[in-house]
Amino acid sequence: SYIDWEGFIRTAMVCKRRLRQAFRDNGGFSAQEVVDLRKKFNKYDRDGSGDIGNRELALLLEDCFPQIAHDPAKRPIVKKLVSDLDDNGSGSLDFREFVQFMDKFRELEQQERIERERNAIDATTFSTKEAEEFREHFLTASGGVPDLTIGCLLNLLRRIMPLGDRNMAELNKHIRDVVQSDGRAVEQVDFPEFLLLMHRLLEANFAGIKTGVNTAKN
């Protein structure tokens, strides 16, 4: 049998309310993102207790948010987040609390990224127009994601400068210095790091980059 128009509207409104409630319960994450979060949670809930303790949470943060996890200034913020969301005072997070924590941490990461981007623009003295041009190149090379792999970065730079063995060795040092990797291999850079790197290369006119940049603009 068919439902009438009023019945259809009532059903649609019920579905809409349920979707809104599910969205709130999921901390603003989509259904697929919640599935992915469950996989992360299960990976670090190694004892299968249904909770992630402080040590397990620290490992997860280091994996998912390394820049914030390694920043001593952010540790009190992380500790307060856990404390605020730990409803039962157990010192660990169940999955519902974990989803809320990841939502708060996502907001923290976005704020951190915005602040770092602002600081990078200030440090490089790039104009707004120049920064937006670099952003366009960055996003094109990265495929629209917030991090640019070293392979994609090198492909981008090869368009404006020669990258022989000697230049590559010096370029890798510049990248490590910008990322502050302490000598570790760097796998990707974010946009603020990309801005700082480009400023550093332009200031040194590394491998004749100024000529390459001007040619690319023309």
Side-chain angles (χ1 to χ4, degrees), residues 59-72:
L59 292 173
L60 184 147
L61 292 180
E62 189 167 339
D63 184 18
C64 299
F65 307 101
Q67 289 182 332
I68 295 179
H70 293 153
D71 185 351

PDB file of all heavy atoms in Angstrom, residues 59-72:
ATOM      1  N   LEU A  59      50.024   6.378  22.046  1.00  0.00           N
ATOM      2  CA  LEU A  59      50.499   5.734  20.821  1.00  0.00           C
ATOM      3  C   LEU A  59      49.621   6.121  19.632  1.00  0.00           C
ATOM      4  O   LEU A  59      50.115   6.380  18.534  1.00  0.00           O
ATOM      5  CB  LEU A  59      50.505   4.209  20.998  1.00  0.00           C
ATOM      6  CG  LEU A  59      51.523   3.645  21.982  1.00  0.00           C
ATOM      7  CD1 LEU A  59      51.300   2.147  22.172  1.00  0.00           C
ATOM      8  CD2 LEU A  59      52.950   3.896  21.493  1.00  0.00           C
ATOM      9  N   LEU A  60      48.317   6.177  19.861  1.00  0.00           N
ATOM     10  CA  LEU A  60      47.386   6.541  18.800  1.00  0.00           C
ATOM     11  C   LEU A  60      47.618   7.977  18.340  1.00  0.00           C
ATOM     12  O   LEU A  60      47.637   8.264  17.148  1.00  0.00           O
ATOM     13  CB  LEU A  60      45.940   6.357  19.277  1.00  0.00           C
ATOM     14  CG  LEU A  60      44.840   6.607  18.247  1.00  0.00           C
ATOM     15  CD1 LEU A  60      43.657   5.690  18.490  1.00  0.00           C
ATOM     16  CD2 LEU A  60      44.346   8.057  18.284  1.00  0.00           C
ATOM     17  N   LEU A  61      47.789   8.890  19.295  1.00  0.00           N
ATOM     18  CA  LEU A  61      48.003  10.297  18.954  1.00  0.00           C
ATOM     19  C   LEU A  61      49.297  10.486  18.179  1.00  0.00           C
ATOM     20  O   LEU A  61      49.372  11.281  17.250  1.00  0.00           O
ATOM     21  CB  LEU A  61      48.020  11.152  20.222  1.00  0.00           C
ATOM     22  CG  LEU A  61      46.688  11.272  20.972  1.00  0.00           C
ATOM     23  CD1 LEU A  61      46.859  12.137  22.210  1.00  0.00           C
ATOM     24  CD2 LEU A  61      45.622  11.863  20.068  1.00  0.00           C
ATOM     25  N   GLU A  62      50.324   9.745  18.570  1.00  0.00           N
ATOM     26  CA  GLU A  62      51.605   9.840  17.878  1.00  0.00           C
ATOM     27  C   GLU A  62      51.467   9.370  16.437  1.00  0.00           C
ATOM     28  O   GLU A  62      52.124   9.888  15.530  1.00  0.00           O
ATOM     29  CB  GLU A  62      52.657   9.005  18.603  1.00  0.00           C
ATOM     30  CG  GLU A  62      54.058   9.216  18.071  1.00  0.00           C
ATOM     31  CD  GLU A  62      55.119   8.639  18.988  1.00  0.00           C
ATOM     32  OE1 GLU A  62      54.840   8.440  20.186  1.00  0.00           O
ATOM     33  OE2 GLU A  62      56.224   8.390  18.496  1.00  0.00           O
ATOM     34  N   ASP A  63      50.575   8.398  16.220  1.00  0.00           N
ATOM     35  CA  ASP A  63      50.341   7.860  14.892  1.00  0.00           C
ATOM     36  C   ASP A  63      49.497   8.813  14.051  1.00  0.00           C
ATOM     37  O   ASP A  63      49.798   9.085  12.889  1.00  0.00           O
ATOM     38  CB  ASP A  63      49.644   6.501  15.002  1.00  0.00           C
ATOM     39  CG  ASP A  63      49.446   5.838  13.651  1.00  0.00           C
ATOM     40  OD1 ASP A  63      50.123   6.229  12.686  1.00  0.00           O
ATOM     41  OD2 ASP A  63      48.607   4.918  13.549  1.00  0.00           O
ATOM     42  N   CYS A  64      48.414   9.356  14.625  1.00  0.00           N
ATOM     43  CA  CYS A  64      47.442  10.164  13.871  1.00  0.00           C
ATOM     44  C   CYS A  64      47.764  11.659  13.852  1.00  0.00           C
ATOM     45  O   CYS A  64      47.475  12.335  12.864  1.00  0.00           O
ATOM     46  CB  CYS A  64      46.041   9.955  14.454  1.00  0.00           C
ATOM     47  SG  CYS A  64      45.444   8.256  14.372  1.00  0.00           S
ATOM     48  N   PHE A  65      48.324  12.174  14.950  1.00  0.00           N
ATOM     49  CA  PHE A  65      48.590  13.616  15.060  1.00  0.00           C
ATOM     50  C   PHE A  65      50.011  13.839  15.578  1.00  0.00           C
ATOM     51  O   PHE A  65      50.204  14.374  16.672  1.00  0.00           O
ATOM     52  CB  PHE A  65      47.588  14.279  16.008  1.00  0.00           C
ATOM     53  CG  PHE A  65      46.147  14.006  15.678  1.00  0.00           C
ATOM     54  CD1 PHE A  65      45.427  13.049  16.382  1.00  0.00           C
ATOM     55  CD2 PHE A  65      45.511  14.713  14.674  1.00  0.00           C
ATOM     56  CE1 PHE A  65      44.094  12.801  16.096  1.00  0.00           C
ATOM     57  CE2 PHE A  65      44.163  14.471  14.381  1.00  0.00           C
ATOM     58  CZ  PHE A  65      43.466  13.515  15.084  1.00  0.00           C
ATOM     59  N   PRO A  66      51.037  13.428  14.813  1.00  0.00           N
ATOM     60  CA  PRO A  66      52.410  13.469  15.327  1.00  0.00           C
ATOM     61  C   PRO A  66      52.890  14.858  15.728  1.00  0.00           C
ATOM     62  O   PRO A  66      53.609  15.002  16.714  1.00  0.00           O
ATOM     63  CB  PRO A  66      53.242  12.907  14.161  1.00  0.00           C
ATOM     64  CG  PRO A  66      52.375  13.058  12.954  1.00  0.00           C
ATOM     65  CD  PRO A  66      50.968  12.917  13.443  1.00  0.00           C
ATOM     66  N   GLN A  67      52.516  15.888  14.969  1.00  0.00           N
ATOM     67  CA  GLN A  67      53.018  17.237  15.272  1.00  0.00           C
ATOM     68  C   GLN A  67      52.518  17.722  16.620  1.00  0.00           C
ATOM     69  O   GLN A  67      53.263  18.308  17.409  1.00  0.00           O
ATOM     70  CB  GLN A  67      52.597  18.211  14.166  1.00  0.00           C
ATOM     71  CG  GLN A  67      53.344  17.990  12.855  1.00  0.00           C
ATOM     72  CD  GLN A  67      52.961  18.990  11.790  1.00  0.00           C
ATOM     73  OE1 GLN A  67      51.845  19.501  11.784  1.00  0.00           O
ATOM     74  NE2 GLN A  67      53.868  19.273  10.878  1.00  0.00           N
ATOM     75  N   ILE A  68      51.235  17.478  16.911  1.00  0.00           N
ATOM     76  CA  ILE A  68      50.680  17.899  18.191  1.00  0.00           C
ATOM     77  C   ILE A  68      51.175  16.986  19.305  1.00  0.00           C
ATOM     78  O   ILE A  68      51.484  17.442  20.413  1.00  0.00           O
ATOM     79  CB  ILE A  68      49.138  17.908  18.137  1.00  0.00           C
ATOM     80  CG1 ILE A  68      48.667  18.959  17.133  1.00  0.00           C
ATOM     81  CG2 ILE A  68      48.539  18.181  19.510  1.00  0.00           C
ATOM     82  CD1 ILE A  68      47.161  19.039  16.971  1.00  0.00           C
ATOM     83  N   ALA A  69      51.265  15.686  19.017  1.00  0.00           N
ATOM     84  CA  ALA A  69      51.684  14.730  20.039  1.00  0.00           C
ATOM     85  C   ALA A  69      53.103  15.007  20.528  1.00  0.00           C
ATOM     86  O   ALA A  69      53.439  14.744  21.688  1.00  0.00           O
ATOM     87  CB  ALA A  69      51.583  13.301  19.495  1.00  0.00           C
ATOM     88  N   HIS A  70      53.958  15.554  19.644  1.00  0.00           N
ATOM     89  CA  HIS A  70      55.358  15.799  19.997  1.00  0.00           C
ATOM     90  C   HIS A  70      55.596  17.206  20.526  1.00  0.00           C
ATOM     91  O   HIS A  70      56.737  17.584  20.781  1.00  0.00           O
ATOM     92  CB  HIS A  70      56.256  15.550  18.782  1.00  0.00           C
ATOM     93  CG  HIS A  70      56.309  14.116  18.362  1.00  0.00           C
ATOM     94  ND1 HIS A  70      56.569  13.714  17.072  1.00  0.00           N
ATOM     95  CD2 HIS A  70      56.105  12.980  19.066  1.00  0.00           C
ATOM     96  CE1 HIS A  70      56.551  12.402  16.998  1.00  0.00           C
ATOM     97  NE2 HIS A  70      56.264  11.936  18.196  1.00  0.00           N
ATOM     98  N   ASP A  71      54.517  17.976  20.679  1.00  0.00           N
ATOM     99  CA  ASP A  71      54.642  19.354  21.160  1.00  0.00           C
ATOM    100  C   ASP A  71      54.366  19.390  22.667  1.00  0.00           C
ATOM    101  O   ASP A  71      53.224  19.211  23.091  1.00  0.00           O
ATOM    102  CB  ASP A  71      53.642  20.250  20.420  1.00  0.00           C
ATOM    103  CG  ASP A  71      53.801  21.725  20.783  1.00  0.00           C
ATOM    104  OD1 ASP A  71      54.566  22.034  21.719  1.00  0.00           O
ATOM    105  OD2 ASP A  71      53.159  22.568  20.138  1.00  0.00           O
ATOM    106  N   PRO A  72      55.404  19.619  23.488  1.00  0.00           N
ATOM    107  CA  PRO A  72      55.201  19.624  24.956  1.00  0.00           C
ATOM    108  C   PRO A  72      54.157  20.647  25.400  1.00  0.00           C
ATOM    109  O   PRO A  72      53.458  20.429  26.394  1.00  0.00           O
ATOM    110  CB  PRO A  72      56.595  19.980  25.499  1.00  0.00           C
ATOM    111  CG  PRO A  72      57.547  19.594  24.415  1.00  0.00           C
ATOM    112  CD  PRO A  72      56.806  19.840  23.138  1.00  0.00           C
TER     113      PRO A  72
END
